[in-house]
Amino acid sequence: MNKTTESSSTLELWEAHLHGLVSKHAWLANAAPEELALVRERVSPLRLAACWYHFSVFAADFLCLALPLLENPVNRCYIAQTANEELGCGDPQQVHSVLLLEALAEAGLDQHTILSYPTLDIDQVLEALKQQLLSAKNDHEIAGFFLGFELLAEHNISHVFECLKPQASSREELRQTPYFQEHFKVEPAHIRRAITLGMNSCAYDYQIKSMLDKFHYTISFWNHFWGVVHQENSNSGVGQFTKIGAGLGEALMPKI
């Protein structure tokens, strides 16, 4: 087996293992279709739009915050590439949060109503994740956050699309907006980039374990994020993230 083939095989093993963890522990990935349908029916498209817009703005900031924390310039390049895409590759009209507002308008939601919607509960959830990132001590911990950020991306985008409740007559028009076209197309590449960053950051089992701890924390973040989004009239304080079982980090990734 040549080096390129071996590297590709290792990446596929990592990808399979991580997707397995997501399928097991992320609510959005393992919820029954009936449960998802019920949630999507009950959630307000406006609340979903406002919360996801706030996350979209946060995502670019989160990636930019990670850049100076990374020690390895190659790792910095991986995250910089994703951050650059989130920010429209230099074109203000292509910034993903701008494209999202355009897509939401296609779904019949007013921009000013979205921007004025109260999102304090979601902002608190996002702030908690930001503080965890800022406390990261090394590249493999940051890689864990990046992995957790990306591995659910396809599930997240599909969930957002369905929660907007596009009518049959407008469903394809919404799917063809630049925001959804871009995200349905690029998320697999973003996932592979995140996995490559993880592989590049870990040389020892203890580093893989540390990376997986942050990965699981971020999956827990997503469970909490969606739980808050789906609370239509939630004015209560943000609770602790869902606790994950003690054995989650025990199965280490394939060695590089």
Side-chain angles (χ1 to χ4, degrees):
M1 183 184 294
N2 61 42
K3 189 171 183 180
T4 302
T5 304
E6 183 178 357
S7 176
S8 176
S9 177
T10 302
L11 188 145
E12 289 172 1
L13 286 171
W14 277 57
E15 188 169 13
H17 185 79
L18 288 164
H19 276 299
L21 292 175
V22 166
S23 296
K24 185 176 181 181
H25 299 292
W27 169 79
L28 195 54
N30 65 24
E34 298 80 9
E35 181 183 1
L36 280 176
L38 184 60
V39 166
R40 289 165 177 168
E41 178 61 30
R42 289 178 174 175
V43 68
S44 157
L46 173 59
R47 178 169 175 79
L48 180 283
C51 292
W52 191 249
Y53 174 76
H54 276 262
F55 170 76
S56 184
V57 173
F58 170 83
D61 292 343
F62 186 85
L63 294 169
C64 291
L65 280 173
L67 287 173
L69 303 178
L70 291 160
E71 297 177 353
N72 187 320
V74 175
N75 293 342
R76 203 175 298 125
C77 185
Y78 288 134
I79 290 187
Q81 188 175 352
T82 300
N84 186 49
E85 291 167 3
E86 287 286 334
L87 293 170
C89 298
D91 182 351
Q93 299 304 312
Q94 297 300 310
V95 173
H96 285 188
S97 57
V98 174
L99 296 179
L100 175 58
L101 286 176
E102 294 174 358
L104 296 174
E106 182 69 33
L109 295 165
D110 177 69
Q111 173 178 327
H112 298 294
T113 307
I114 292 168
L115 297 179
S116 62
Y117 188 94
T119 55
L120 178 61
D121 48 0
I122 283 297
D123 291 338
Q124 290 177 299
V125 177
L126 299 177
E127 179 63 22
L129 182 63
K130 172 185 169 182
Q131 293 305 318
Q132 284 292 316
L133 172 68
L134 292 175
S135 68
K137 301 177 179 63
N138 45 57
D139 282 21
H140 48 269
E141 289 190 357
I142 296 171
F145 287 119
F146 193 44
L147 280 168
F149 226 55
E150 293 291 355
L151 262 291
L152 260 175
E154 293 174 292
H155 295 283
N156 288 335
I157 291 299
S158 294
H159 188 57
V160 169
F161 182 84
E162 296 298 337
C163 283
L164 291 175
K165 302 180 178 65
Q167 300 299 315
S169 58
S170 60
R171 188 178 182 87
E172 190 57 30
E173 285 84 351
L174 181 60
R175 186 179 292 276
Q176 291 302 318
T177 58
Y179 178 83
F180 283 108
Q181 269 200 319
E182 176 73 8
H183 283 77
F184 280 127
K185 178 178 68 176
V186 305
E187 295 305 353
H190 282 191
I191 289 169
R192 289 211 156 204
R193 187 183 299 157
I195 294 171
T196 303
L197 170 63
M199 291 168 58
N200 194 57
S201 302
C202 298
Y204 303 101
D205 283 353
Y206 79 89
Q207 294 174 327
I208 295 173
K209 173 64 169 64
S210 179
M211 181 191 72
L212 283 176
D213 286 344
K214 301 307 181 186
F215 171 74
H216 290 311
Y217 181 92
T218 313
I219 296 302
S220 182
F221 154 79
W222 281 120
N223 290 342
H224 190 54
F225 175 88
W226 288 118
V228 173
V229 170
H230 298 151
Q231 294 172 14
E232 183 64 28
N233 297 308
S234 174
N235 293 313
S236 60
V238 176
Q240 296 298 312
F241 291 168
T242 304
K243 291 185 178 180
I244 300 179
L248 287 182
E250 292 174 2
L252 297 179
M253 302 294 297
K255 293 186 179 179
I256 305 168

